Amino acid sequence: MTKILLSALSARRGGGLTYLRHIVGHFPAEAGHRLYILSAAPIEGLPARDNVEWLQAPAWTVRPITRFLFGYLYFRLFWPLRHDFDAVYFPGGSFDLALPPHTRRIVAFRNMVPFDVEASRRFHFGWTRLRVWLLRHIQSWAFRRADLVIFISEYARRVIDAAIPRRRGASVVIPHGTAPTTQQLEPTIAAQLPDRFVLYLSILDVYKAQVELVEAWGRLIARSPRAEKLVLAGPENPRYGVEVRAAITKLGLEREVIVLGNIPHDQISDLTRRATLNVFLSSCENCPNILLELMAIRTPLLVSAREPMPELGGPDLDYVEPYDVSGIAEALARLLDDSARRERIAEAAHQRSARYSWPKTAAATWEAIIRCGGGDI
C-alpha cells in the first residue's frame, strides 16, 4: 500500500482545479492505495471515494507567504502526529522545506513563463516581473531536489534539462488530457457574437500576442472588407488589456473587433464551435489545455509556431510566428478563403486529439507517483 499526500494549497481556480478534478477522480481504487488531499476547501465535483480523504488547511493559506509558513509548520509539527506518507505530490511545482527525509518528493512543471526569458521580459518592471523571477528560483530549487519531476510536454523537459542539467531524481512526460464542455453559452454572451467570426480564446496577456493579432486583422481588412469579425475572449491582465484596446482604437477597428471578456469554463466548447476559425497565438506555453480542447471539438485552427504547440498539434495544422503581423494576416486570409483547407485542419486536429485524455493522464500520473513512493523510481 502507498500513502500519498497531494498538496492542493495553490490550486484555487482555472486549469489547476481542472487538473486536480480529473486526476483525483481517477485515483486507483485497487491495491489499498490511499490519497490525502491537503487544501483550504474541498475540491468541488469529485466523486466520493473510500480511499480519498480531505485534510483541511486554514482559509488563510490561499496567500503564497502564509501558505509557505503553514506548509513549513504542518510538515514539521503536525505531520508525525497524523500520517507517515510515502510520497507527497506538489502539482504547483515546488515543495515545502520541512518534509521528512524518507518521504519521496514529487513535483510537476506546469508554468513555463519563469523559464522563458523572452516572455518574462515582456512584463513591465514591478511585482509581476519580480514574482516571475522568484518563481524561477523557487522551482529550480525544487526540481534539483525532487525525486520525480512530472513534465507535461517533451518541450518542457528539454527546457529544464538545459536550465537545470543536474537534478537528483527521475522525470517523466505526461501530457494533460482534454474533456470538451457541455453547457451552452449564456444568452447575454451569445447575443454579442456576429454570424461569422474568428475567435482567440485565452487570457489577454503580454505573451499571448493579442496586440499583434489586432494589427494583423487591421491589415487583413485593409486589403478587402471581410464578413467575419475578430472576437477576443478571456480574462485580462489589466495593463495589457489597456494596450489591446488602445491598438483597436488606434487602428479604427471598434466595429471589427469584439472584446468579449471572461467566459465560464463550462461554456467554452459551445463558444469555440460557433467560430469560423479559432486562433491560438501564445508564445510561451507548457501544455495548453485550450489548444487540446480546440483540437478535440474538431474546429479549424491557426496556431502559434512556438513549441510545444507543434509537438502537441502535429504536422497537419497551420502554424505562424505569433509576433509576425504580416504572416498572421496572410495566414488568416489563406484559411478564411479556403473552406476545404479549414475542414482538413479540423479533421487532422480531431484525430490527433485522441492522444490526449484525462483517464490516460491520470493513470500514468498515479502509476509514476506510486512507483516513486515505493522506491521503484
Side-chain angles (χ1 to χ4, degrees):
M1 182 181 77
T2 304
K3 295 173 68 175
I4 302 165
L5 177 69
L6 190 158
S7 178
L9 295 176
S10 62
R12 292 183 290 157
R13 57 182 177 269
L17 286 177
T18 299
Y19 176 79
L20 290 179
R21 288 189 187 104
H22 285 292
I23 66 163
V24 173
H26 291 90
F27 184 71
E30 68 278 2
H33 302 303
R34 293 198 63 83
L35 174 66
Y36 301 83
I37 303 171
L38 180 64
S39 64
I43 299 173
E44 296 181 1
L46 291 181
R49 302 286 296 276
D50 292 337
N51 62 340
V52 177
E53 180 180 337
W54 173 49
L55 303 179
Q56 185 172 12
W60 43 262
T61 56
V62 297
R63 298 293 182 184
I65 294 177
T66 54
R67 183 165 63 240
F68 173 82
L69 292 174
F70 173 79
Y72 182 83
L73 294 173
Y74 178 89
F75 291 115
R76 182 169 293 275
L77 302 177
F78 182 62
W79 175 296
L81 303 177
R82 180 66 189 270
H83 294 292
D84 186 19
F85 298 104
D86 300 297
V88 185
Y89 178 34
F90 294 88
S94 62
F95 55 78
D96 296 279
L97 300 175
L99 291 175
H102 70 275
T103 303
R104 307 286 279 180
R105 299 154 168 82
I106 301 157
V107 297
F109 177 41
R110 300 177 63 239
N111 184 0
M112 181 61 71
V113 173
F115 292 88
D116 187 313
V117 175
E118 179 188 359
S120 300
R121 288 177 176 171
R122 289 185 179 277
F123 291 101
H124 297 281
F125 283 102
W127 164 242
T128 301
R129 194 160 176 176
L130 175 61
R131 179 177 176 273
V132 168
W133 180 84
L134 289 171
L135 279 174
R136 179 183 177 105
H137 287 273
I138 291 170
Q139 292 190 346
S140 296
W141 180 91
F143 295 156
R144 288 190 184 97
R145 290 160 177 80
D147 296 289
L148 175 66
V149 179
I150 296 177
F151 295 105
I152 55 179
S153 64
E154 289 288 353
Y155 167 69
R157 178 152 64 179
R158 292 197 301 271
V159 168
I160 298 304
D161 282 347
I164 314 169
R166 295 183 179 179
R167 301 195 303 273
R168 165 184 167 179
S171 66
V172 63
V173 176
I174 306 174
H176 281 176
T178 180
T181 60
T182 57
Q183 295 297 314
Q184 291 189 330
L185 275 178
E186 296 174 7
T188 54
I189 298 175
Q192 301 177 59
L193 297 174
D195 292 334
R196 291 175 58 84
F197 61 95
V198 172
L199 174 66
Y200 187 2
L201 175 62
S202 188
I203 183 173
L204 274 65
D205 214 336
V206 295
Y207 57 93
K208 297 290 189 173
Q210 281 95 350
V211 167
E212 286 73 17
L213 177 58
V214 168
E215 293 173 352
W217 194 259
R219 294 192 186 188
L220 178 68
I221 64 174
R223 299 175 185 174
S224 62
R226 303 289 319 186
E228 300 86 4
K229 306 296 183 184
L230 175 62
V231 175
L232 306 177
E236 298 183 20
N237 170 333
R239 195 165 183 173
Y240 187 70
V242 171
E243 294 180 21
V244 172
R245 288 176 174 81
I248 294 170
T249 301
K250 179 181 178 181
L251 296 171
L253 298 177
E254 293 90 340
R255 294 181 177 273
E256 303 296 330
V257 181
I258 300 167
V259 181
L260 201 57
N262 198 15
I263 306 297
H265 183 267
D266 59 1
Q267 300 174 30
I268 62 174
S269 292
D270 185 29
L271 172 62
T272 54
R273 285 191 182 100
R274 298 179 185 220
T276 305
L277 175 69
N278 282 272
V279 300
F280 185 74
L281 298 180
S282 178
S283 66
C284 177
E285 295 292 339
N286 200 321
C287 180
N289 286 345
I290 185 59
L291 175 59
L292 301 184
E293 290 168 354
L294 289 170
M295 292 165 60
I297 65 171
R298 199 180 180 279
T299 182
L301 295 170
L302 174 62
V303 182
S304 168
R306 302 288 181 91
E307 289 289 359
M309 275 60 81
E311 173 191 332
L312 300 170
D316 297 319
L317 305 190
D318 268 20
Y319 298 97
V320 66
E321 273 297 313
Y323 297 112
D324 179 1
V325 173
S326 296
I328 296 170
E330 292 171 4
L332 288 170
R334 182 172 62 249
L335 285 170
L336 290 174
D337 292 337
D338 190 341
S339 60
R341 185 178 184 86
R342 295 200 305 272
E343 179 65 21
R344 288 195 300 271
I345 290 173
E347 180 59 27
H350 182 65
Q351 292 184 12
R352 180 85 174 184
S353 72
R355 298 177 175 218
Y356 311 110
S357 77
W358 283 116
K360 291 179 183 178
T361 297
T365 299
W366 293 123
E367 179 184 3
I369 291 173
I370 290 168
R371 287 182 60 206
C372 184
D376 295 332
I377 292 181

